[in-house]
Amino acid sequence: MTTPLRPAPEESREDREARRAFLAGRLAAVRERIADAARAAGRDHTGITLITVTKTWPAEDVRLLAGLGVRDVGENQDQQASAKAAACAGLAPALSWHFVGQLQSNKAPSVARYADMVHSVDRASLVSALGKAAERAERDLRCLIQVSLDGTAGRGGAHPDEVLRLAALIAGLPRLTVAGVMAVAPPQEPAAEAFARLGPVRERLLGEHPGAGVMSAGMSGDLEAAIAAGATHVRVGSAVLGHRPPAPLPH
C-alpha cells in the first residue's frame, strides 16, 4: 500500500524562507561531497548528475529545490510522484522526473505520463508494460536496468547475466531507450565492494548499446563509494531534505 501524498500545510513566508535556507545549505553540502568524491577519483564532477529524491516531502519542496537549481527529481512511489509532477507541471521542461523505486507493471501507464527516466527496469514483463504505456502516452522513456548485486529476493534487480537480454527487449520497442544500469548497495557488505561489481556490467552493456552510459548508484550514505566506482548519477534524499516526515495517520 502506497503512502498518500501529504497535503502541504499552510506556511508563513518566514517558514517558507526558513525551509528554503535549510534546503540551500544541505544542497550545497551534498554538491561539495560530490565534487570532493569526484576529485578523489580523478573525475570531473560536472559529469555527475545529482537526483534529489523527494519521496514523502511536498510539492512545495520541489518548487523550492527548482529555484535552487535542482533539475533532476526522483520519486519511488507512483501515487506521490504523479501528484507532485502534476502540481509542478508549470516548471516543465526545466525538471526531469526519475522513477527510482520498484515498479509494478500495472503502474506503468501512470509512470509513462510523467517520468523521463525509469531506473528500476528488472524484468521482461515490465519492459513490455512500459513500452505499451509509452506508446499510448506518446512519450519517450529512458530506461535503466536495475542490477541485483547480491541476488536477494524482494530487493528488486535483475541478475547480471540477464542485463543484455533485457536491454535487447528495451531496444526493440520504439518509445524506449536503453540508458544504462542502476543498483542499490546491499546492506550486508561495504558499498565499495558492491559497486565495484556494477562497473563491469555497464561495460558489457556499452559493448552492445554504446549510448547506455548511465550508471545510477549511490545514495545519501554511500555516494562517495559510488562515484569512486564510476557512478554518473547519484540519488540523494535525506542528505538534502532531512529525515522524512512520518506517514499521516489513517482517517
Side-chain angles (χ1 to χ4, degrees):
M1 181 176 180
T2 57
T3 304
L5 180 64
R6 105 183 10 249
E10 291 294 327
E11 285 188 317
S12 67
R13 180 176 179 180
E14 291 78 11
D15 288 340
R16 189 173 187 275
E17 287 303 312
R19 180 62 173 165
R20 184 184 186 281
F22 174 86
L23 293 175
R26 306 266 292 203
L27 187 61
V30 168
R31 286 172 170 159
E32 186 173 357
R33 284 177 62 190
I34 291 171
D36 288 345
R39 191 178 307 111
R43 299 178 58 192
D44 181 353
H45 73 276
T46 61
I48 300 167
T49 298
L50 168 62
I51 301 168
T52 306
V53 182
T54 56
K55 290 190 178 178
T56 60
W57 296 97
E60 179 58 23
D61 275 352
V62 177
R63 286 188 279 269
L64 289 173
L65 289 165
L68 294 168
V70 168
R71 294 294 174 262
D72 295 88
V73 176
E75 291 288 332
N76 72 336
Q77 292 187 2
D78 172 63
Q79 184 176 355
Q80 295 184 29
S82 58
K84 271 189 264 192
C88 297
L91 298 173
L95 284 184
S96 290
W97 292 88
H98 298 252
F99 191 86
V100 302
Q102 288 184 263
L103 180 59
Q104 296 176 334
S105 295
N106 63 358
K107 297 293 185 181
S110 178
V111 170
R113 287 194 289 269
Y114 60 83
D116 299 293
M117 183 180 285
V118 178
H119 289 232
S120 48
V121 180
D122 61 359
R123 59 196 186 279
S125 59
L126 181 55
V127 173
S128 176
L130 285 171
K132 292 174 183 176
E135 286 201 68
R136 285 195 295 269
E138 297 183 339
R139 295 188 72 247
D140 296 322
L141 292 180
R142 301 181 71 201
C143 297
L144 301 183
I145 300 170
Q146 183 176 353
V147 181
S148 173
L149 297 179
D150 65 352
T152 300
R155 288 174 51 82
H159 189 280
D161 292 343
E162 289 292 301
V163 168
L164 293 183
R165 182 180 71 88
L166 289 174
L169 294 175
I170 294 167
L173 295 174
R175 286 286 188 171
L176 303 186
T177 299
V178 184
V181 294
M182 181 274 256
V184 178
Q188 71 273 16
E189 71 173 310
E193 295 179 10
F195 290 142
R197 298 197 294 275
L198 185 59
V201 177
R202 181 178 63 162
E203 291 304 313
R204 290 196 295 272
L205 179 63
L206 280 168
E208 295 195 11
H209 302 272
V214 173
M215 179 174 163
S216 171
M219 297 186 289
S220 293
D222 57 16
L223 67 86
E224 287 85 359
I227 290 170
T232 62
H233 292 58
V234 293
R235 312 177 303 273
V236 179
S238 60
V240 173
L241 289 120
H243 293 294
R244 294 196 301 275
L249 295 174
H251 295 291

